Amino acid sequence: MTLFDLFKKKPSKSSTGTVAKDRLKLVLVHDRVDCSYELLEMLKTDIIKVILNYMVIDEDELDICITQTRSEDNKGVVPVLFANIPIKSIRKAS
């Protein structure tokens, strides 16, 4: 070990290879369900507009993506729209 080894960035738990692999999986899922990045962004915008009528949300921490899961009958894999939307508060009914 040299002096310079002490200053090298230590590999994190999620290495760049793992991150790249996860990104590739997302691209493949989007391709299989024929969902472009633009369509996903439009969907995200529409979902935010509707939710903002009822709740205050943390838009910076919002995560909406398309992923895959096993079908209910366990006969294959199906695409799923996944939304993680942090709610700050509920708006009072008018």
Side-chain angles (χ1 to χ4, degrees):
M1 175 187 264
T2 67
L3 179 62
F4 295 109
D5 290 337
L6 296 173
F7 297 103
K8 284 185 182 176
K9 190 174 183 180
K10 294 187 168 69
S12 65
K13 209 172 197 178
S14 92
S15 67
T16 55
T18 303
V19 171
K21 186 177 176 182
D22 290 343
R23 286 182 184 163
L24 180 58
K25 284 181 187 177
L26 284 176
V27 168
L28 290 173
V29 171
H30 286 241
D31 246 11
R32 289 182 187 143
V33 295
D34 197 23
C35 179
S36 67
Y37 175 78
E38 292 81 17
L39 178 64
L40 187 60
E41 285 302 308
M42 289 188 307
L43 182 62
K44 185 176 178 178
T45 301
D46 289 347
I47 289 171
I48 290 170
K49 283 180 187 177
V50 171
I51 291 176
L52 286 175
N53 290 326
Y54 305 95
M55 302 171 187
V56 177
I57 62 173
D58 186 352
E59 292 184 50
D60 294 331
E61 294 296 318
L62 178 82
D63 181 29
I64 296 177
C65 64
I66 295 179
T67 186
Q68 291 183 329
T69 190
R70 283 239 166 254
S71 63
E72 288 181 9
D73 58 7
N74 285 327
K75 291 187 178 179
V77 178
V78 294
V80 175
L81 178 68
F82 173 79
N84 183 8
I85 306 167
I87 300 170
K88 291 183 176 181
S89 64
I90 306 291
R91 296 191 190 279
K92 300 214 185 241
S94 312

